[in-house]
Amino acid sequence: DGGITQSPKYLFRKEGQNVTLSCEQNLNHDAMYWYRQDPGQGLRLIYYSQIVNDFQKGDIAEGYSVSREKKESFPLTVTSAQKNPTAFYLCASSTGLAGAYNEQFFGPGTRLTVL
Amino acid sequence: GQSLEQPSEVTAVEGAIVQINCTYQTSGFYGLSWYQQHDGGAPTFLSYNGLDGLEETGRFSSFLSRSDSYGYLLLQELQMKDSASYFCAVTRGSTLGRLYFGRGTQLTVWP
């Protein structure tokens, strides 16, 4: 079955530690995205990538880093520089084309709690 | 820049019709999308409007007026399972690959 997976579903880390969230898709999509969701804040874009080996900052990139070495994978690292990392993180992918063709498919999310 | 406004909460009873509005201010507007998200779950795509008018998909319809910078999602024959958050999102012509999401509307359907 085609889809997008994120692991783990729940993640706990101590303050000051870097942590990497996994995102894999087998939809053959060119574009991938990372969003952060806090209560009442909607979905805020952290980083996105429209092609392998290229990515752009979104609206809240500070304290995060990404890589896009393979089409299928777009891991997100939450660094110790991120001041308030506890949140629900969603990964998505799409064809990257315009309009109705740019439906984004979301993974199940990772809920990160920093203690 | 861009901004999107949608109501934070809407309530309705089963079988009713509800309309969730979305007004936007954005340069280079290209299209408006709607997503549904159940509590703790992943958002899922509902509809897209690139041109003015109504798009219908089963019980859900979405409308766009580009001249008014306004759209809405219409949910008919409401069911308990429709209780969820609904997000409008705009696409801009300068960044076709990304979406800009509103803060979402929490819909509660009562029996």
Side-chain angles (χ1 to χ4, degrees):
Chain A
D1 287 335
I4 181 165
T5 58
Q6 293 183 242
S7 61
K9 190 163 177 66
Y10 298 95
L11 189 55
F12 297 88
R13 279 293 181 270
K14 290 184 179 178
E15 197 172 339
Q17 290 181 334
N18 291 357
V19 60
T20 297
L21 280 58
S22 165
C23 178
E24 303 277 332
Q25 56 98 0
N26 60 3
L27 299 167
N28 199 33
H29 283 163
D30 285 314
M32 296 187 75
Y33 312 81
W34 273 107
Y35 294 92
R36 170 179 172 141
Q37 188 171 35
D38 297 282
Q41 292 285 336
L43 298 165
R44 294 186 289 169
L45 184 67
I46 305 172
Y47 270 98
Y48 67 109
S49 166
Q50 293 184 286
I51 197 167
V52 174
N53 292 322
D54 188 43
F55 48 83
Q56 288 80 40
K57 292 182 179 180
D59 300 321
I60 54 166
E62 186 176 348
Y64 299 98
S65 66
V66 293
S67 63
R68 186 85 188 277
E69 296 175 3
K70 298 188 300 182
K71 188 175 185 177
E72 302 80 21
S73 179
F74 191 41
L76 173 75
T77 296
V78 184
T79 75
S80 56
Q82 168 48 233
K83 289 185 170 53
N84 186 18
T86 294
F88 188 46
Y89 290 88
L90 286 158
C91 180
S93 70
S94 77
T95 61
L97 300 175
Y101 300 103
N102 197 29
E103 172 185 347
Q104 292 191 9
F105 293 80
F106 285 81
T110 292
R111 194 166 296 278
L112 173 64
T113 302
V114 175
L115 306 170
Chain B
Q2 62 287 317
S3 70
L4 293 94
E5 294 289 333
Q6 51 181 129
S8 59
E9 293 181 23
V10 172
T11 60
V13 296
E14 264 190 311
I17 299 172
V18 73
Q19 179 174 310
I20 299 174
N21 299 322
C22 175
T23 57
Y24 59 86
Q25 289 183 341
T26 186
S27 56
F29 175 82
Y30 191 90
L32 186 71
S33 301
W34 289 91
Y35 284 76
Q36 178 193 59
Q37 184 183 30
H38 287 98
D39 254 358
T44 56
F45 173 81
L46 290 177
S47 68
Y48 172 80
N49 294 75
L51 301 174
D52 283 1
L54 194 67
E55 293 283 341
E56 296 180 77
T57 311
R59 294 188 297 115
F60 294 0
S61 304
S62 59
F63 173 82
L64 175 66
S65 169
R66 297 171 75 104
S67 60
D68 295 322
S69 297
Y70 163 75
Y72 66 72
L73 180 69
L74 190 73
L75 298 87
Q76 302 182 75
E77 300 172 20
L78 281 173
Q79 302 174 10
M80 297 285 288
K81 67 179 182 179
D82 297 328
S83 292
S85 291
Y86 293 84
F87 296 89
C88 60
V90 300
T91 301
R92 299 173 65 194
S94 58
T95 51
L96 287 173
R98 67 167 289 184
L99 294 171
Y100 299 82
F101 283 87
R103 292 188 171 216
T105 298
Q106 176 68 50
L107 169 65
T108 302
V109 180
W110 298 101

